[in-house]
Amino acid sequence: MNQQIDQKAADNIRALAVAMVEKAKSGHPGGPMGGADFMHILYSEFFNFDPSDMTWAFRDRFFMDAGHLSTLMYAQYYLLGNYKKEDVANFRQWGSITPGHPEVDVKRGIENTSGPLGQGHTMGVGAAIAAKFLQARFGDWMNHKVYGFISDGGVQEEISQGAGRIAGHLGLSNFIMFFDSNDIQLSTSTDEVTTEDTAMKYESWGWKVVTIDGHNHDEIRKALTDANNETEKPTLIIGKTIMGKGCVTSEGKTFEGECELHGQPIGATGADYTKTLLNLGANPESPFDIYADVSEFYQNLLKEKIAKAAQKKEEIAAWRKSNAVLSDKLDFFLSGELPELDFEGIVHKQGLASRAASSGVLAYLADKVENMIVSSADLSNSDKTDGFLKKTQAIKKGDFSGSFLQAGVAELTMACIANGIALHGGIIPVVATFFVFSDYMKPAIRLSGIQELGVKYVWTHDAFRVGEDGPTHQPVEQEAQIRLLEKLKNHSGKPSFLALRPADSAETSVAWKMALENKDTPTGLILSRQGIKDLAAKGTSRYNDALAAEKGGYLVKEVENPDVVLIANGSEVSTLVDAAEILESENGLKVNIASVISEGVFRLQSKDYQNSVIPKNKPLFGLTAGLPVNLEGLVGDNGKVFGLDHFGYSAPATVLDDKFGFTGEKVSKEVLAYLKTI
């Protein structure tokens, strides 16, 4: 312990944060200046990782919630050698590896993309669940910690209630969160928007809570020591800090705790940039330098971290030697590979709802995929994830041997937790709810896409056929929203999301196959509440036919030189089959039917293949239970899409089908009317 070097290191972090924002003319300097003391003490004395092996699976993890405080991380990791001087000097610039909000970059210590407040620490909760899950299967040697860092804004975001409730309920003693409580927000002081007792709130959820002076290194040290020794509860360390700690005016007077220091360069405030750097011990002529004695301290620290990690690795090696079978299983989990799976062997009854077919698949997977956590937002008996639950048990405080997470009514929290599970690694997360409630999940779905995480979303009750529940529960516009993500590329240049709406039980099995094999982007399975008539097999089996869905779209009914090609996905495909029977028997037309489970995947196929399924020189008619835009890109300008342009109504599903025109007879009339226009 060296109080002088500790203070210099914290001040160095402050100076770097100030300089980064000033040079970029953009950013948030005040918060990083307040959190610098905690970060230095955490990383220098408590955080376990291997600087020579940053992706080491058994490292501690740090999840930033307050992504606008990215300079706090970049400055700290610069001291640790993860960034170069030019990296921090190019903060927020094109091509920089130090973006305005942190983007997942494990090799440099960034465990999660953050920015939308509340999601970062919730992902940390997910990582802590993943760590407990693995520890229950492989031993207490797997005792790494997950640290979170949250600000007033993150505490206020509603998602914090779900994260706090679940972490406390499950007794996540491996999760330690620092609350940078500086009483200042972007546009107000916190007392203008809240008077809650944060400590009491977290205590009521089952957390251990301690309040400290966030600039007192001894208090930080003790709080972290106690948190690391806690075995029953997650810990919240409320650090009372000062916004813009160290800022001074041009006259050298203190200028701290001011709201204007939150979200703009300090040179644009009442503080003075040059005098502040001098006050912090920095050289204004070379503001991105690491102080000489701080550099020496961190160089020695890195050697100590590597040596400590080597000791842990020896412990793990000894465990592996004595537990060869478990060791191989652990490596398999961490590899992200799948066991051999026989989807064709899953037998479905005739005419199942695709949610019920999914339940059968999940029951099969529960026996075959040991590293899967399935979660449901208090709907397991309706979204049919209970097919999985019946083969395992719910995760509980003190018992993480189960594989099912009862999230309660907290769709966004559940989805963020799944992102955290995926980020931790070694586990496949699946989350489920009604499709209409995907609206609650969109912020987390977006971060799944940005971070390229293989989260599996199961959405049931996929259309107006939810029936009597009425318009609040009948998704109409949701499919269009989700499918937009198939058109949006991630930073790897691939579609950021895979949306699959299977047409029958066989396609549901194939959809699950596609979902599990899609490891680098999130997948959504959009499933029906009502039973669906199985499509007729063209070849040796319906499952083998449905494997063509892996190309995004294929013909489920095919004739030579068709007069019209009908296009749909999901349960509307069987409606098209009914319509085609009428068109052929009563109107003498030749009809092809295309099932397009994913336009995104379909568009990745060759133009020749796409044209073989949906020829541009033929009349094209699409049917969707959602907005017509779902299929308009497939039928083109000369085609016709029959869909909904209004919310649903409360009535039995069969009545709604008739009223809205979704019967074979009424669709056949729509097709005939369309053909008369061309």
Side-chain angles (χ1 to χ4, degrees), residues 485-506:
L485 292 173
E486 289 197 312
K487 302 177 187 298
L488 183 67
K489 288 186 172 61
N490 59 32
H491 286 168
S492 294
K494 300 176 182 177
S496 66
F497 195 87
L498 173 62
L500 304 172
R501 187 164 178 251
D504 63 1
S505 294

Side-chain angles (χ1 to χ4, degrees), residues 571-619:
S571 54
E572 287 85 88
V573 177
S574 63
T575 306
L576 288 182
V577 171
D578 292 341
E581 289 176 358
I582 295 171
L583 292 170
E584 290 179 331
S585 63
E586 297 182 12
N587 303 100
L589 295 174
K590 293 189 292 183
V591 180
N592 278 3
I593 301 174
S595 174
V596 184
I597 195 171
S598 164
E599 182 181 355
V601 174
F602 185 68
R603 294 299 189 191
L604 297 177
Q605 309 308 313
S606 69
K607 292 295 184 183
D608 284 345
Y609 179 78
Q610 291 182 49
N611 197 53
S612 72
V613 177
I614 304 177
K616 295 180 180 178
N617 61 345
K618 296 289 182 179

Side-chain angles (χ1 to χ4, degrees), residues 73-235:
M73 302 179 76
Y74 302 145
Q76 177 66 73
Y77 298 163
Y78 174 35
L79 299 189
L80 290 167
N82 294 352
Y83 291 95
K84 299 176 182 177
K85 181 188 287 190
E86 54 265 34
D87 296 329
V88 294
N90 285 320
F91 173 60
R92 288 188 171 224
Q93 303 310 300
W94 176 260
S96 165
I97 56 173
T98 50
H101 289 79
E103 295 177 20
V104 61
D105 187 353
V106 174
K107 290 182 179 179
R108 293 186 177 87
I110 310 292
E111 297 284 356
N112 65 296
T113 296
S114 60
L117 293 178
Q119 291 199 57
H121 83 289
T122 309
M123 287 186 273
V125 170
I129 291 171
K132 288 277 191 182
F133 178 95
L134 294 172
Q135 185 183 43
R137 285 151 180 79
F138 299 105
D140 289 340
W141 63 266
M142 193 177 289
N143 57 356
H144 52 280
K145 302 292 185 181
V146 179
Y147 294 90
F149 189 110
I150 198 168
S151 64
D152 288 292
V155 170
Q156 288 167 28
E157 276 289 356
E158 291 88 343
I159 190 176
S160 69
Q161 172 175 312
R165 170 180 58 79
I166 291 173
H169 178 68
L170 294 178
L172 297 180
S173 56
N174 59 339
F175 187 62
I176 301 166
M177 184 162 69
F178 180 76
F179 170 25
D180 182 43
S181 178
N182 56 38
D183 299 325
I184 297 295
Q185 304 187 195
L186 181 63
S187 64
T188 69
S189 58
T190 57
D191 60 9
E192 291 189 42
V193 299
T194 181
T195 52
E196 74 177 13
D197 187 327
T198 302
M200 186 178 292
K201 179 173 71 173
Y202 277 85
E203 285 171 354
S204 74
W205 287 327
W207 289 57
K208 175 179 180 177
V209 181
V210 57
T211 301
I212 64 171
D213 176 350
H215 301 301
N216 185 309
H217 294 180
D218 288 335
E219 291 190 23
I220 295 171
R221 215 169 262 124
K222 183 179 187 309
L224 284 169
T225 299
D226 292 345
N228 273 271
N229 291 331
E230 173 61 42
T231 60
E232 297 293 325
K233 301 177 178 182
T235 297

Side-chain angles (χ1 to χ4, degrees), residues 264-276:
Q264 59 184 327
I266 68 167
T269 72
D272 184 84
Y273 171 66
T274 300
K275 289 293 180 65
T276 295

